[in-house]
Amino acid sequence: MSTETEMSFIHRFEPATASGSVPLVLLHGTGGDENDLLDLGRAVAPGSALLSPRGRVLENGMPRFFRRLAEGVFDEADVKRRASELADFISEAQARYGLEKPLALGFSNGANIAVATLLLRPDTFAGAVLLRPMMPLADMPDADLRGMNILMVSGAMDSIVPHANAARLAAALSERGASVAHEILPSGHQLGQADLRLARDFLARL
Ligand code: MLT
């Protein structure tokens, strides 16, 4: 495995060790980086290639995937621009590393940029695992998500993502044709073992 800086995003890439496994794009939360979700990726998708970019926006020194004006209040023009940059990076990485269309696995801010990318550049991902996501755009664009499997995992006591927001997101993705499993755990915003089990079981069934 290596850390690469010459492509458009600083990232880490781990090649697949099992043939036929779908690659995962790992998208970290606020203040994380390209190293954060590698263990999680290995645990939920053993043998899969892992592509893990670092968000290019800095908020008080903390990497993120798009700008926000306050907690839960997003700079939507930036969301759109960054989703497009991420989609371009993923195509670039697919060509460079010889990857088939990947699944997204994102946590918090990383889940939110995954949603924006699903909606704005629906050819980028084959499906997604969204851990503690929320609506990244007030007006969700139309997109054809038919045939896409999405797991959303929310926390019943999440102080960052209101339950109604997560429910609206699940409905919006379903309305666009995705097959959405929305699980709600008795937890807050942080991840735990139950998230790992749900993600692993979902990926194993694909
Ligand atoms: C976001 O900014 O994307 C969400 O508020 C989640 C977070 O990163 O705190």
Side-chain angles (χ1 to χ4, degrees):
M1 183 172 50
S2 57
T3 299
E4 299 283 346
T5 51
E6 74 202 52
M7 290 167 70
S8 56
F9 278 71
I10 295 170
H11 66 280
R12 293 185 75 163
F13 175 68
E14 270 192 24
T17 55
S19 60
S21 52
V22 184
L24 279 193
V25 175
L26 304 172
L27 299 163
H28 62 79
T30 302
D33 67 20
E34 67 278 17
N35 300 302
D36 264 34
L37 297 183
L38 288 169
D39 282 344
L40 179 66
R42 290 183 199 115
V44 300
S48 284
L50 302 176
L51 176 68
S52 187
R54 183 193 302 177
R56 297 175 66 183
V57 168
L58 284 180
E59 180 184 278
N60 302 322
M62 295 186 298
R64 288 175 50 83
F65 286 95
F66 56 80
R67 266 170 42 83
R68 66 179 161 184
L69 309 174
E71 195 168 280
V73 184
F74 303 142
D75 175 341
E76 297 204 3
D78 195 62
V79 172
K80 291 177 185 163
R81 179 159 80 90
R82 303 291 178 178
S84 170
E85 281 178 6
L86 180 67
D88 289 345
F89 162 72
I90 291 168
S91 317
E92 200 185 342
Q94 278 181 268
R96 171 164 176 168
Y97 297 122
L99 300 175
E100 65 177 272
K101 195 185 280 196
L103 295 160
L105 186 157
F107 165 58
S108 189
N109 181 246
N112 300 341
I113 194 71
V115 172
T117 308
L118 284 169
L119 294 168
L120 295 162
R121 297 280 293 269
D123 287 339
T124 305
F125 293 121
V129 174
L130 306 171
L131 304 172
R132 310 296 182 276
M134 61 191 289
M135 305 255 295
L137 297 165
D139 285 325
M140 298 279 272
D142 264 336
D144 182 358
L145 303 183
R146 280 175 297 176
M148 210 177 268
N149 287 304
I150 297 177
L151 171 66
M152 272 181 62
V153 188
S154 301
M157 291 161 297
D158 193 327
S159 55
I160 295 177
V161 183
H163 174 69
N165 186 301
R168 275 208 312 282
L169 173 59
L173 295 171
S174 302
E175 280 158 18
R176 286 159 180 75
S179 167
V180 180
H182 187 193
E183 302 282 349
I184 300 170
L185 296 174
S187 65
H189 198 67
Q190 289 315 309
L191 300 180
Q193 286 301 314
D195 290 277
L196 190 148
R197 276 195 297 278
L198 286 169
R200 192 186 51 210
D201 293 351
F202 169 82
L203 293 169
R205 281 196 305 270
L206 289 181

